[in-house]
Coordinates of all heavy atoms in Angstrom, one line a residue:
S64 N -28.1 -26.6 82.8 CA -29.3 -27.3 82.5 C -29.6 -28.0 83.9 O -28.9 -29.0 84.3 CB -29.3 -28.2 81.4 OG -30.5 -29.0 81.3
G65 N -30.7 -27.6 84.6 CA -30.9 -28.1 85.9 C -29.8 -27.8 86.9 O -29.5 -26.7 87.0
N66 N -29.2 -28.9 87.4 CA -28.1 -28.7 88.3 C -26.8 -28.9 87.7 O -25.7 -28.7 88.3 CB -28.2 -29.6 89.5 CG -29.4 -29.3 90.4 OD1 -29.8 -28.1 90.6 ND2 -30.1 -30.3 91.0
M67 N -26.8 -29.2 86.3 CA -25.5 -29.5 85.7 C -25.0 -28.4 84.8 O -25.8 -27.8 84.1 CB -25.9 -30.8 84.7 CG -24.5 -31.2 83.9 SD -23.2 -31.8 85.0 CE -23.9 -33.3 85.6
V68 N -23.8 -28.0 85.1 CA -23.1 -27.0 84.5 C -22.1 -27.6 83.4 O -21.4 -28.6 83.7 CB -22.3 -26.0 85.4 CG1 -21.6 -24.9 84.5 CG2 -23.4 -25.3 86.3
Q69 N -22.2 -27.1 82.2 CA -21.2 -27.7 81.1 C -20.4 -26.6 80.5 O -20.9 -25.5 80.1 CB -22.1 -28.4 80.0 CG -21.2 -28.9 78.9 CD -22.1 -29.5 77.8 OE1 -22.8 -30.5 78.1 NE2 -22.2 -29.0 76.6
L70 N -19.1 -26.7 80.6 CA -18.2 -25.9 80.1 C -17.4 -26.5 79.0 O -16.8 -27.6 79.2 CB -17.1 -25.3 81.1 CG -15.9 -24.6 80.7 CD1 -16.2 -23.3 79.9 CD2 -15.0 -24.2 81.8
K71 N -17.4 -26.0 77.7 CA -16.7 -26.7 76.6 C -15.8 -25.6 75.9 O -16.3 -24.5 75.6 CB -17.7 -27.2 75.7 CG -17.1 -28.1 74.6 CD -18.2 -28.8 73.7 CE -17.6 -29.8 72.7 NZ -18.7 -30.4 72.0
V72 N -14.6 -26.0 75.7 CA -13.6 -25.2 74.9 C -13.1 -26.0 73.8 O -12.6 -27.0 74.0 CB -12.5 -24.7 75.8 CG1 -11.5 -23.8 74.9 CG2 -13.0 -23.8 76.9
E73 N -13.3 -25.6 72.5 CA -12.9 -26.5 71.4 C -12.3 -25.5 70.3 O -12.6 -24.3 70.2 CB -14.1 -27.1 70.8 CG -15.3 -26.3 70.5 CD -16.5 -27.2 70.1 OE1 -16.4 -28.2 69.3 OE2 -17.6 -26.8 70.5
D74 N -11.3 -26.2 69.4 CA -10.8 -25.4 68.4 C -10.7 -26.3 67.2 O -10.9 -27.6 67.3 CB -9.4 -24.9 68.8 CG -8.5 -26.1 69.1 OD1 -8.2 -26.9 68.3 OD2 -7.8 -26.1 70.2
N75 N -10.3 -25.8 66.0 CA -10.4 -26.5 64.8 C -8.8 -26.8 64.4 O -8.5 -26.9 63.2 CB -11.0 -25.8 63.6 CG -10.3 -24.4 63.3 OD1 -9.6 -23.8 64.2 ND2 -10.5 -24.0 62.0
G76 N -8.0 -26.8 65.3 CA -6.5 -26.9 65.2 C -6.1 -28.4 64.8 O -7.0 -29.3 64.4
K77 N -4.9 -28.6 65.1 CA -4.3 -30.0 64.6 C -4.6 -31.1 65.6 O -4.1 -32.2 65.3 CB -2.7 -29.9 64.5 CG -2.1 -29.4 65.7 CD -0.7 -29.2 65.5 CE 0.2 -28.9 66.8 NZ 1.6 -28.7 66.6
G78 N -5.4 -30.9 66.5 CA -5.9 -32.0 67.3 C -5.0 -32.5 68.4 O -4.8 -33.7 68.6
Y79 N -4.3 -31.5 69.1 CA -3.4 -31.9 70.2 C -4.2 -32.2 71.4 O -5.3 -31.9 71.6 CB -2.4 -30.7 70.4 CG -3.1 -29.6 71.2 CD1 -2.9 -29.4 72.6 CD2 -4.0 -28.6 70.6 CE1 -3.4 -28.4 73.3 CE2 -4.4 -27.6 71.3 CZ -4.3 -27.6 72.7 OH -4.8 -26.5 73.3
D80 N -3.5 -32.8 72.4 CA -4.1 -33.2 73.6 C -3.0 -33.0 74.7 O -1.8 -33.5 74.4 CB -4.7 -34.6 73.6 CG -5.3 -35.1 74.9 OD1 -5.1 -34.3 75.9 OD2 -6.0 -36.0 74.9
Y81 N -3.2 -32.4 75.7 CA -2.2 -32.2 76.8 C -1.5 -33.6 77.1 O -0.4 -33.8 77.1 CB -2.8 -31.8 78.1 CG -3.0 -30.3 78.2 CD1 -4.3 -29.8 78.6 CD2 -2.0 -29.4 78.0 CE1 -4.5 -28.4 78.6 CE2 -2.2 -28.1 78.1 CZ -3.4 -27.6 78.4 OH -3.6 -26.2 78.5
R82 N -2.4 -34.6 77.2 CA -1.9 -36.0 77.7 C -1.1 -36.6 76.6 O -0.2 -37.4 76.8 CB -3.1 -36.8 78.1 CG -3.6 -36.3 79.5 CD -5.0 -36.9 79.7 NE -6.0 -36.5 78.8 CZ -7.3 -36.8 79.0 NH1 -7.7 -37.4 80.1 NH2 -8.2 -36.3 78.2
Q83 N -1.4 -36.2 75.4 CA -0.6 -37.0 74.2 C 0.6 -36.1 73.9 O 1.7 -36.6 73.6 CB -1.6 -37.0 73.1 CG -2.7 -38.0 73.3 CD -3.7 -38.0 72.1 OE1 -3.4 -37.4 71.1 NE2 -4.8 -38.7 72.2
S84 N 0.4 -34.7 73.8 CA 1.5 -33.9 73.3 C 2.5 -33.5 74.3 O 3.7 -33.3 74.0 CB 0.9 -32.6 72.7 OG 0.0 -33.0 71.6
Y85 N 2.1 -33.3 75.6 CA 3.0 -32.8 76.7 C 3.2 -33.7 77.7 O 4.0 -33.4 78.7 CB 2.4 -31.4 77.2 CG 2.1 -30.6 75.9 CD1 0.8 -30.2 75.7 CD2 3.2 -30.0 75.2 CE1 0.5 -29.4 74.6 CE2 2.8 -29.2 74.1 CZ 1.5 -28.9 73.8 OH 1.3 -28.1 72.7
G86 N 2.6 -34.9 77.8 CA 2.8 -35.8 78.8 C 1.9 -35.5 80.1 O 1.4 -34.4 80.3
K87 N 1.6 -36.6 80.8 CA 0.7 -36.4 81.9 C 1.3 -35.5 83.0 O 0.5 -35.0 83.9 CB 0.4 -37.9 82.6 CG -0.4 -38.7 81.6 CD -0.7 -40.1 82.3 CE -1.6 -40.9 81.4 NZ -2.0 -42.2 82.1
Q88 N 2.6 -35.3 83.1 CA 3.2 -34.5 84.2 C 3.5 -33.1 83.6 O 4.2 -32.3 84.3 CB 4.4 -35.2 84.7 CG 4.2 -36.5 85.3 CD 3.1 -36.4 86.4 OE1 3.1 -35.6 87.2 NE2 2.1 -37.5 86.4
S89 N 3.0 -32.7 82.4 CA 3.2 -31.3 82.0 C 2.5 -30.4 83.0 O 1.5 -30.6 83.5 CB 2.7 -31.2 80.6 OG 1.2 -31.1 80.7
F90 N 3.1 -29.1 83.2 CA 2.7 -28.1 84.0 C 1.2 -27.7 83.6 O 0.4 -27.6 84.5 CB 3.5 -26.9 84.0 CG 3.1 -25.9 85.0 CD1 3.2 -26.1 86.4 CD2 2.7 -24.6 84.5 CE1 2.8 -25.1 87.2 CE2 2.3 -23.6 85.4 CZ 2.4 -23.9 86.8
G91 N 0.8 -27.6 82.3 CA -0.4 -27.2 81.9 C -1.4 -28.2 82.3 O -2.5 -28.0 82.8
M92 N -1.1 -29.5 82.1 CA -2.0 -30.6 82.4 C -2.2 -30.7 83.9 O -3.3 -30.9 84.4 CB -1.5 -31.9 81.9 CG -2.4 -33.0 82.0 SD -4.0 -32.7 81.0 CE -5.2 -33.9 81.7
Q93 N -1.2 -30.5 84.7 CA -1.3 -30.5 86.2 C -2.3 -29.4 86.6 O -3.1 -29.6 87.5 CB 0.1 -30.4 86.8 CG 1.0 -31.6 86.6 CD 2.3 -31.4 87.3 OE1 2.4 -30.9 88.4 NE2 3.4 -31.7 86.6
L94 N -2.1 -28.3 86.1 CA -3.0 -27.1 86.5 C -4.4 -27.5 86.1 O -5.3 -27.2 86.9 CB -2.6 -25.8 85.7 CG -1.4 -25.1 86.3 CD1 -1.1 -23.8 85.5 CD2 -1.7 -24.7 87.7
L95 N -4.6 -27.9 84.9 CA -6.0 -28.2 84.5 C -6.7 -29.3 85.4 O -7.8 -29.1 85.8 CB -6.0 -28.8 83.0 CG -7.3 -29.1 82.4 CD1 -8.2 -27.8 82.3 CD2 -7.1 -29.6 80.9
Q96 N -5.9 -30.3 85.7 CA -6.3 -31.4 86.7 C -6.7 -30.7 88.0 O -7.7 -31.2 88.6 CB -5.4 -32.5 86.7 CG -5.3 -33.3 85.4 CD -4.1 -34.3 85.5 OE1 -3.2 -34.2 86.3 NE2 -4.3 -35.4 84.7
V97 N -5.9 -29.8 88.5 CA -6.2 -29.1 89.7 C -7.5 -28.4 89.7 O -8.3 -28.5 90.6 CB -5.0 -28.4 90.3 CG1 -5.4 -27.5 91.4 CG2 -3.8 -29.1 90.6
F98 N -7.6 -27.6 88.7 CA -8.8 -26.7 88.6 C -10.1 -27.7 88.5 O -11.1 -27.3 89.1 CB -8.7 -25.8 87.4 CG -7.5 -24.9 87.4 CD1 -6.9 -24.5 86.2 CD2 -7.0 -24.5 88.6 CE1 -5.8 -23.6 86.3 CE2 -5.9 -23.6 88.6 CZ -5.3 -23.2 87.6
V99 N -10.1 -28.7 87.7 CA -11.2 -29.6 87.5 C -11.5 -30.3 88.8 O -12.8 -30.4 89.2 CB -10.8 -30.6 86.4 CG1 -12.0 -31.7 86.4 CG2 -10.8 -29.9 85.1
K100 N -10.5 -30.7 89.5 CA -10.7 -31.3 90.8 C -11.4 -30.4 91.8 O -12.3 -30.8 92.5 CB -9.3 -31.8 91.3 CG -9.5 -32.6 92.7 CD -8.2 -33.2 93.3 CE -8.2 -33.9 94.5 NZ -7.0 -34.4 95.0
Q101 N -11.0 -29.1 91.8 CA -11.5 -28.1 92.7 C -13.0 -28.0 92.4 O -13.8 -27.7 93.4 CB -10.8 -26.8 92.7 CG -9.4 -26.9 93.2 CD -9.4 -27.2 94.7 OE1 -10.2 -26.8 95.5 NE2 -8.5 -28.0 95.1
L102 N -13.5 -28.1 91.2 CA -14.8 -27.9 90.8 C -15.6 -29.3 91.1 O -16.8 -29.3 90.8 CB -14.9 -27.5 89.3 CG -14.7 -26.2 88.9 CD1 -14.7 -26.0 87.3 CD2 -15.7 -25.2 89.5

């Protein structure tokens, strides 16, 4: 919309969160943070 791009991924699961379930230093969370930073 305009210059803003919005990407959303959602599920109806048990409500996990990388930062809560796997810790801030989990490999998956690190990857996600790198990709978000590059964007």
Side-chain angles (χ1 to χ4, degrees):
S64 178
N66 295 323
M67 180 63 69
V68 177
Q69 177 177 298
L70 166 61
K71 189 174 185 180
V72 179
E73 53 189 317
D74 63 57
N75 67 332
K77 59 183 181 180
Y79 76 98
D80 182 348
Y81 278 130
R82 288 167 292 192
Q83 295 174 6
S84 302
Y85 309 109
K87 292 185 177 181
Q88 299 306 314
S89 70
F90 183 65
M92 190 62 196
Q93 289 180 48
L94 280 180
L95 183 62
Q96 290 174 338
V97 168
F98 301 151
V99 169
K100 183 177 180 180
Q101 291 299 318
L102 282 174

